[in-house]
């Protein structure tokens, strides 16, 4: 009853104080920050005004006819049948209008689909429920996960300005540079959308879609997955950071060095404490969405890991499930999603967290050997 009362109060407040409750509500599209988004906006406005003119003419004639030929003024209805001129006009005029609208629309679509002459190629892969960005020419890549805290999501703290629209690792692109995006998916259909770019493209498993963008203004631009892709569909934001070319080049150098250092970590001798610390972070970003932060899971789709057979008994079976997944189930194969270090860390964490306490650990070297079998 209290929940219903609160909802009723909110609805009543919206009617009584519309200026307050709908302060951010607008009627029109935003122009955007790319040439494509501006073309889309201009096309939208052109067709909108054509429709406005048509509406004024049609309703003007209709209302004038109703008023001027009303029965109370003594008008008698005319009798006519098969007026050839009228039939030709109401066929030709709409055709001409459609052609006039099709010309700029076609030009805009041709430009949007032309991905040639790009300077940078980035592969965008959708996963349930995060994005992976691979910088093809630079030979590095990383995952982008939502960073909104559980406290915000479950109303334990106030929601931030960018609620459900913050990530740990945004895509970074240089300004004034033509960037081609190659979109695909690992599991189900996703859709990569950034309104300010005028870009919305499906990411389909086993298929590559292409789209391009060129951002002229530095800044942070946000979007979301717009294809219903599962229970965490609303927790899959897109964040792009556009920076000047010099800053981008420095960032690429840092990322390349970090990727090389990550590869070299497979040869390090790790301690249990180090693996547990890293495993907790890897579990939070890659596993907690399904198996819950406390390992309790969400049966039957996502089984519990706390006190579970897979985490307490056969180490080889546990490793196989994490690396290769479980065909026919919601359990993905993380062998190509996580590094050898993160795979070792997350398995070690699952076997020793939440009271499991097996005392067993997996090293990155073991993961590497397992993959090379």
């Amino acid at each position: 009853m209290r929940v219903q009362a609160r909802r009723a109060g909110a609805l009543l407040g919206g009617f009584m104080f519309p200026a307050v409750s709908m302060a951010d509500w607008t009627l029109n599209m935003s122009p955007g920050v790319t040439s494509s988004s501006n073309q889309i906006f201009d096309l939208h406005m052109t067709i909108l005004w054509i429709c406005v003119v048509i509406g004024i003419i049609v309703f003007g004639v209709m209302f004038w006819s109703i008023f001027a030929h009303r029965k109370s003024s003594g008008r008698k209805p005319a009798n006519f049948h098969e007026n050839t001129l009228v039939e030709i006009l109401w066929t030709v005029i709409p055709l001409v209008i459609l052609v006039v609208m099709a010309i700029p629309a076609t030009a805009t679509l041709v430009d949007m689909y032309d991905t040639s002459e790009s300077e940078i190629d980035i592969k965008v892969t959708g996963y349930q429920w995060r994005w992976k960005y691979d910088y093809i020419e630079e030979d590095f890549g990383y995952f982008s996960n939502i960073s909104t805290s559980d406290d915000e999501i479950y109303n334990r703290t106030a929601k931030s300005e960018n609620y459900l629209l913050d990530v740990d690792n945004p895509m970074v692109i240089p300004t004034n540079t033509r960037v081609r995006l190659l979109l695909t998916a690992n599991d189900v259909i996703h859709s990569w959308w950034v309104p300010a770019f005028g870009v919305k493209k499906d990411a389909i498993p086993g298929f590559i879609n292409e789209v391009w963008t060129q951002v002229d203004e530095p800044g942070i631009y946000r979007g979301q997955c717009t294809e219903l892709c599962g229970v965490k569909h609303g927790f899959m934001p897109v964040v792009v950071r556009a920076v000047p070319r010099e800053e981008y080049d420095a960032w690429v150098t840092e990322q390349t060095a970090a990727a090389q250092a990550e590869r070299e970590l497979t040869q390090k001798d790790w301690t249990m404490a180090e693996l547990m610390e890293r495993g907790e972070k890897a579990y939070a970003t890659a596993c907690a969405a399904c198996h819950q932060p406390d390992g309790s899971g969400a049966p039957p789709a996502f089984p519990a890991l706390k006190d579970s057979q897979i985490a307490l008994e056969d180490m080889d079976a546990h490793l196989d499930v994490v690396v290769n997944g479980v065909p026919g189930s919601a359990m993905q194969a993380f062998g190509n999603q996580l590094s050898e270090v993160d795979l070792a860390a997350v398995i070690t964490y699952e076997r020793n967290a939440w009271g499991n306490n097996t005392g067993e650990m997996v090293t990155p070297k073991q993961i590497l050997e397992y993959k090379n079998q």
Side-chain angles (χ1 to χ4, degrees):
M1 291 297 291
R2 292 180 180 178
V3 174
Q4 292 175 344
R6 283 198 297 269
R7 289 176 178 172
L11 183 61
L12 181 61
F15 285 120
M16 293 176 64
F17 307 102
V20 175
S21 60
M22 305 181 73
D24 295 329
W25 186 71
T26 58
L27 283 172
N28 209 356
M29 295 173 59
S30 299
V33 296
T34 65
S35 60
S36 291
S37 61
N38 287 323
Q39 285 183 42
I40 293 169
F41 180 80
D42 292 340
L43 177 63
H44 159 73
M45 293 306 299
T46 299
I47 294 179
L48 172 65
W49 287 118
I50 290 175
C51 293
V52 168
V53 171
I54 293 172
I56 291 173
I57 293 172
V58 170
F59 283 101
V61 171
M62 184 180 71
F63 289 131
W64 174 82
S65 299
I66 293 171
F67 176 79
H69 298 87
R70 65 192 185 278
K71 185 177 181 180
S72 61
S73 65
R75 297 286 184 173
K76 300 294 183 182
N79 295 308
F80 57 88
H81 181 64
E82 294 184 358
N83 189 312
T84 304
L85 178 60
V86 171
E87 290 187 0
I88 291 174
L89 288 176
W90 72 34
T91 301
V92 172
I93 293 175
L95 177 62
V96 171
I97 294 172
L98 288 174
V99 171
V100 169
M101 292 193 296
I103 292 172
T106 301
T108 300
L109 287 172
V110 168
D111 182 66
M112 288 172 60
Y113 283 96
D114 181 11
T115 60
S116 61
E117 300 181 3
S118 61
E119 299 179 51
I120 296 174
D121 291 334
I122 303 175
K123 180 184 176 185
V124 181
T125 307
Y127 290 80
Q128 289 178 311
W129 291 272
R130 54 196 179 138
W131 299 99
K132 186 181 182 186
Y133 302 122
D134 290 299
Y135 290 70
I136 297 174
E137 293 90 350
E138 307 298 340
D139 195 27
F140 72 84
Y142 55 86
F143 281 92
S144 179
N145 305 278
I146 187 171
S147 61
T148 300
S149 68
D150 287 342
D151 288 336
E152 287 183 59
I153 293 172
Y154 294 106
N155 299 314
R156 292 191 288 264
T157 60
K159 301 188 188 306
S160 62
E161 178 183 359
N162 296 312
Y163 174 66
L164 297 185
L165 292 175
D166 275 327
V167 298
D168 52 2
N169 295 307
M171 174 193 286
V172 179
I173 59 174
T175 55
N176 302 306
T177 304
R178 192 177 177 95
V179 179
R180 181 174 65 157
L181 305 177
L182 306 171
L183 293 109
T184 187
N186 179 67
D187 33 50
V188 299
I189 298 177
H190 302 274
S191 188
W192 197 87
W193 175 56
V194 178
F197 295 175
V199 172
K200 179 181 179 294
K201 203 72 171 179
D202 281 354
I204 304 171
F207 189 81
I208 298 290
N209 271 329
E210 293 183 335
V211 70
W212 71 275
T213 190
Q214 179 173 321
V215 182
D216 298 327
E217 302 176 21
I220 295 177
Y221 305 100
R222 304 178 191 275
Q224 292 171 298
C225 174
T226 55
E227 190 71 50
L228 187 59
C229 58
V231 67
K232 294 285 185 177
H233 161 67
F235 298 79
M236 196 173 172
V238 176
V239 180
V240 180
R241 183 162 64 94
V243 299
R245 187 60 189 244
E246 298 77 14
E247 184 177 342
Y248 172 78
D249 290 338
W251 176 82
V252 167
T253 300
E254 293 175 0
Q255 294 297 311
T256 304
Q260 180 59 33
E262 181 71 20
R263 287 189 284 268
E264 292 174 355
L265 286 177
T266 56
Q267 303 306 314
K268 174 184 172 180
D269 292 324
W270 290 78
T271 66
M272 171 73 81
E274 290 173 329
L275 287 172
M276 287 294 290
E277 180 181 359
R278 180 151 180 163
E280 184 176 11
K281 296 177 181 177
Y283 180 88
T285 57
C287 311
C290 296
H291 295 288
Q292 306 304 313
D294 61 357
S296 60
F302 309 116
L305 296 176
K306 180 180 179 180
D307 298 325
S308 71
Q309 180 180 356
I310 191 67
L312 292 175
E313 298 183 9
D314 190 349
M315 172 78 78
D316 290 336
H318 191 177
L319 194 153
D320 179 68
V321 166
V322 174
V323 173
N324 300 316
V326 179
S329 76
M331 179 61 192
Q332 302 179 38
F334 283 90
N336 293 324
Q337 298 187 41
L338 300 178
S339 67
E340 285 78 13
V341 176
D342 282 335
L343 287 168
V346 80
I347 294 172
T348 300
Y349 179 76
E350 290 173 354
R351 298 186 73 80
N352 293 278
W354 320 301
N356 286 347
N357 299 333
T358 64
E360 299 172 336
M361 59 181 283
V362 181
T363 67
K365 291 180 182 178
Q366 289 176 276
I367 299 293
L368 198 59
E369 291 171 359
Y370 178 84
K371 285 185 173 182
N372 292 331
Q373 288 179 356

